[in-house]
mmCIF file of all heavy atoms in Angstrom:
data_model
loop_
_atom_site.group_PDB
_atom_site.id
_atom_site.type_symbol
_atom_site.label_atom_id
_atom_site.label_comp_id
_atom_site.label_asym_id
_atom_site.label_seq_id
_atom_site.Cartn_x
_atom_site.Cartn_y
_atom_site.Cartn_z
ATOM 1 N N SER N 974 -75.262 38.457 -2.334
ATOM 2 C CA SER N 974 -75.374 39.862 -2.378
ATOM 3 C C SER N 974 -74.350 40.573 -1.581
ATOM 4 O O SER N 974 -73.906 41.743 -1.916
ATOM 5 C CB SER N 974 -76.812 40.273 -1.822
ATOM 6 O OG SER N 974 -76.923 40.159 -0.406
ATOM 7 N N ILE N 975 -73.913 40.023 -0.457
ATOM 8 C CA ILE N 975 -72.814 40.608 0.336
ATOM 9 C C ILE N 975 -71.549 40.625 -0.441
ATOM 10 O O ILE N 975 -70.806 41.664 -0.450
ATOM 11 C CB ILE N 975 -72.700 39.843 1.650
ATOM 12 C CG1 ILE N 975 -73.946 39.976 2.451
ATOM 13 C CG2 ILE N 975 -71.421 40.407 2.517
ATOM 14 C CD1 ILE N 975 -74.090 39.048 3.602
ATOM 15 N N VAL N 976 -71.221 39.560 -1.133
ATOM 16 C CA VAL N 976 -69.944 39.415 -1.941
ATOM 17 C C VAL N 976 -70.059 40.452 -3.008
ATOM 18 O O VAL N 976 -69.067 41.041 -3.391
ATOM 19 C CB VAL N 976 -69.720 38.069 -2.469
ATOM 20 C CG1 VAL N 976 -68.574 38.010 -3.413
ATOM 21 C CG2 VAL N 976 -69.457 37.054 -1.305
ATOM 22 N N HIS N 977 -71.203 40.562 -3.702
ATOM 23 C CA HIS N 977 -71.424 41.495 -4.712
ATOM 24 C C HIS N 977 -71.140 42.863 -4.212
ATOM 25 O O HIS N 977 -70.535 43.681 -4.897
ATOM 26 C CB HIS N 977 -72.896 41.387 -5.286
ATOM 27 C CG HIS N 977 -73.234 42.483 -6.306
ATOM 28 N ND1 HIS N 977 -72.887 42.358 -7.606
ATOM 29 C CD2 HIS N 977 -73.846 43.576 -6.158
ATOM 30 C CE1 HIS N 977 -73.272 43.484 -8.266
ATOM 31 N NE2 HIS N 977 -73.877 44.226 -7.319
ATOM 32 N N GLY N 978 -71.660 43.223 -3.109
ATOM 33 C CA GLY N 978 -71.421 44.527 -2.520
ATOM 34 C C GLY N 978 -69.991 44.823 -2.247
ATOM 35 O O GLY N 978 -69.455 45.917 -2.352
ATOM 36 N N ALA N 979 -69.297 43.785 -1.724
ATOM 37 C CA ALA N 979 -67.936 43.900 -1.466
ATOM 38 C C ALA N 979 -66.993 44.224 -2.677
ATOM 39 O O ALA N 979 -66.000 44.876 -2.657
ATOM 40 C CB ALA N 979 -67.342 42.687 -0.760
ATOM 41 N N VAL N 980 -67.424 43.659 -3.862
ATOM 42 C CA VAL N 980 -66.626 43.808 -5.028
ATOM 43 C C VAL N 980 -67.131 44.746 -6.048
ATOM 44 O O VAL N 980 -66.386 45.632 -6.518
ATOM 45 C CB VAL N 980 -66.483 42.326 -5.731
ATOM 46 C CG1 VAL N 980 -65.634 42.449 -7.057
ATOM 47 C CG2 VAL N 980 -65.829 41.324 -4.799
ATOM 48 N N GLU N 981 -68.429 44.695 -6.370
ATOM 49 C CA GLU N 981 -68.941 45.319 -7.506
ATOM 50 C C GLU N 981 -69.552 46.733 -7.188
ATOM 51 O O GLU N 981 -69.652 47.617 -8.138
ATOM 52 C CB GLU N 981 -69.964 44.553 -8.177
ATOM 53 C CG GLU N 981 -69.597 43.144 -8.596
ATOM 54 C CD GLU N 981 -68.531 43.216 -9.695
ATOM 55 O OE1 GLU N 981 -68.451 44.235 -10.414
ATOM 56 O OE2 GLU N 981 -67.701 42.281 -9.859
ATOM 57 N N VAL N 982 -69.824 46.982 -6.000
ATOM 58 C CA VAL N 982 -70.553 48.188 -5.642
ATOM 59 C C VAL N 982 -69.491 49.380 -5.438
ATOM 60 O O VAL N 982 -68.549 49.225 -4.743
ATOM 61 C CB VAL N 982 -71.369 48.110 -4.391
ATOM 62 C CG1 VAL N 982 -71.864 49.522 -3.975
ATOM 63 C CG2 VAL N 982 -72.532 47.167 -4.549
ATOM 64 N N ASP N 983 -69.705 50.406 -6.361
ATOM 65 C CA ASP N 983 -68.687 51.507 -6.242
ATOM 66 C C ASP N 983 -69.035 52.476 -5.076
ATOM 67 O O ASP N 983 -69.464 53.703 -5.357
ATOM 68 C CB ASP N 983 -68.647 52.251 -7.640
ATOM 69 C CG ASP N 983 -67.593 53.377 -7.679
ATOM 70 O OD1 ASP N 983 -66.774 53.323 -6.861
ATOM 71 O OD2 ASP N 983 -67.716 54.185 -8.612
ATOM 72 N N ASP N 984 -68.903 52.070 -3.924
ATOM 73 C CA ASP N 984 -69.246 52.780 -2.794
ATOM 74 C C ASP N 984 -68.332 52.224 -1.597
ATOM 75 O O ASP N 984 -68.697 51.217 -0.995
ATOM 76 C CB ASP N 984 -70.703 52.668 -2.375
ATOM 77 C CG ASP N 984 -71.053 53.401 -1.135
ATOM 78 O OD1 ASP N 984 -70.197 54.037 -0.526
ATOM 79 O OD2 ASP N 984 -72.289 53.364 -0.757
ATOM 80 N N PRO N 985 -67.206 52.899 -1.263
ATOM 81 C CA PRO N 985 -66.352 52.382 -0.307
ATOM 82 C C PRO N 985 -66.988 52.054 1.109
ATOM 83 O O PRO N 985 -66.576 51.156 1.803
ATOM 84 C CB PRO N 985 -65.186 53.427 -0.209
ATOM 85 C CG PRO N 985 -65.800 54.655 -0.810
ATOM 86 C CD PRO N 985 -66.788 54.178 -1.848
#
Side-chain angles (χ1 to χ4, degrees):
S974 74
I975 296 164
V976 172
H977 174 82
V980 178
E981 302 297 336
V982 174
D983 183 16
D984 178 2

